[in-house]
Amino acid sequence: MVPPVQVSALIKTARWSALLVGIVYGKQRYDYLKPIGAEERRVEEEEKKYREEQERIYKQLAEANEDTILK
């Protein structure tokens, strides 16, 4: 087996710098997107409640239309 090659200090510094910059960027991006996602989830929940209410009303009307004397 070949022994590992000594990596240049410049390359090590560049790799660690890129890692840290990526972590900082990711944290900033997450903080930017988090409130947007929360708002989207809140709006979706309101729309879901509205849809469920409409479905409930539709089912009640459908059941009421089935119960007629003219059958």
Side-chain angles (χ1 to χ4, degrees), residues 15 18 27 29 46 49 65 69:
R15 289 174 67 191
K27 174 70 171 134
R29 184 74 176 157
E46 289 176 2
K49 288 179 183 177
N65 288 337
I69 298 174

Side-chain angles (χ1 to χ4, degrees), residues 11-61:
I11 293 174
K12 284 184 182 179
T13 304
R15 289 174 67 191
W16 280 102
S17 298
L19 176 64
L20 294 176
V21 167
I23 290 171
V24 170
Y25 171 77
K27 174 70 171 134
Q28 288 177 341
R29 184 74 176 157
Y30 176 77
D31 290 341
Y32 171 76
L33 293 175
K34 187 175 180 182
I36 295 171
E39 178 66 18
E40 288 177 355
R41 286 188 296 277
R42 185 189 65 77
V43 168
E44 181 64 32
E45 184 64 30
E46 289 176 2
E47 290 174 355
K48 180 180 177 185
K49 288 179 183 177
Y50 178 75
R51 278 192 315 268
E52 289 174 350
E53 182 67 19
Q54 293 298 321
E55 289 174 4
R56 185 185 62 79
I57 292 170
Y58 177 75
K59 286 181 182 179
Q60 286 179 346
L61 289 174

